[in-house]
């Protein structure tokens, strides 16, 4: 029961973190320095674990199937933001990967499991005005 409860809490937190990052990117209509700063302050407020640069480079690959990494500056927290390769200058979307953590104190390690999601299709500023 304890393992199920711990797993449920870890998944819930990772799911909430992923959704917050997606909401912020959609609010800014892009992943830029303003969005990155807001994501950092939000994740700090949620108590999301900080990560080392080694964790970031090990877990955020430059390319994954159909996406290119855009989290080009090492964030304080471990999350990866990818832009879809089939994006155009007018329409684009992002994939966000956050991690749920399981601390295993007996063996002195922790396990990370990725939780991912995508933003809705975002439009360049000029096109956004015509769509709405």
């Amino acid at each position: 029961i304890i393992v199920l409860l711990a797993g449920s809490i870890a998944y819930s937190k990772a799911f909430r973190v992923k959704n917050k990052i997606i909401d912020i990117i959609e609010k800014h209509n892009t992943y830029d320095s303003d969005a990155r700063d807001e994501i950092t302050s939000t994740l700090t407020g949620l108590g999301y674990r900080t990560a080392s640069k080694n964790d970031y480079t090990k877990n955020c690959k430059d390319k994954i199937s159909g996406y290119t990494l855009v989290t080009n500056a090492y964030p304080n927290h471990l999350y990866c933001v990818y832009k879809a390769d089939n994006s155009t200058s007018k329409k684009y979307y992002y994939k966000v990967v956050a991690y749920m953590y399981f601390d295993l104190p007996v063996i002195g390690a922790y396990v990370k499991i990725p939780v991912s999601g995508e933003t809705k299709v975002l439009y360049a500023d000029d096109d956004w005005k015509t769509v709405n």
Side-chain angles (χ1 to χ4, degrees):
I1 292 176
I2 291 173
V3 170
L4 281 172
L5 181 63
S8 175
I9 291 170
Y11 181 76
S12 174
K13 189 173 204 174
F15 193 80
R16 186 172 58 235
V17 163
K18 174 200 53 100
N19 286 340
K20 289 282 188 186
I21 294 170
I22 288 172
D23 289 344
I24 291 168
I25 291 171
E26 288 177 350
K27 181 177 100 176
H28 288 270
N29 204 37
T30 188
Y31 180 77
D32 60 4
S33 62
D34 293 336
R36 187 172 48 248
D37 292 344
E38 186 174 344
I39 290 169
T40 299
S41 66
T42 301
L43 297 186
T44 300
L46 288 174
Y48 190 60
R49 181 187 299 235
T50 58
S52 68
K53 187 170 178 101
N54 185 37
D55 275 345
Y56 171 74
T57 55
K58 189 180 346 173
N59 290 288
C60 294
K61 305 298 179 203
D62 287 339
K63 284 187 103 28
I64 58 174
S65 179
Y67 297 91
T68 301
L69 184 68
V70 294
T71 326
N72 53 8
Y74 157 66
N76 294 339
H77 304 279
L78 182 55
Y79 66 90
C80 311
V81 178
Y82 297 91
K83 189 171 186 178
D85 289 340
N86 63 352
S87 295
T88 65
S89 61
K90 297 183 182 268
K91 294 193 303 187
Y92 49 94
Y93 61 97
Y94 295 94
K95 179 174 189 164
V96 174
V97 180
Y99 292 87
M100 51 190 242
Y101 294 94
F102 293 102
D103 287 316
L104 305 171
V106 175
I107 60 174
Y110 64 93
V111 177
K112 294 182 296 274
I113 300 173
V115 176
S116 65
E118 294 178 348
T119 64
K120 63 183 179 186
V121 175
L122 303 172
Y123 296 90
D125 290 336
D126 295 337
D127 292 329
W128 180 251
K129 294 172 189 165
T130 60
V131 171
N132 285 329

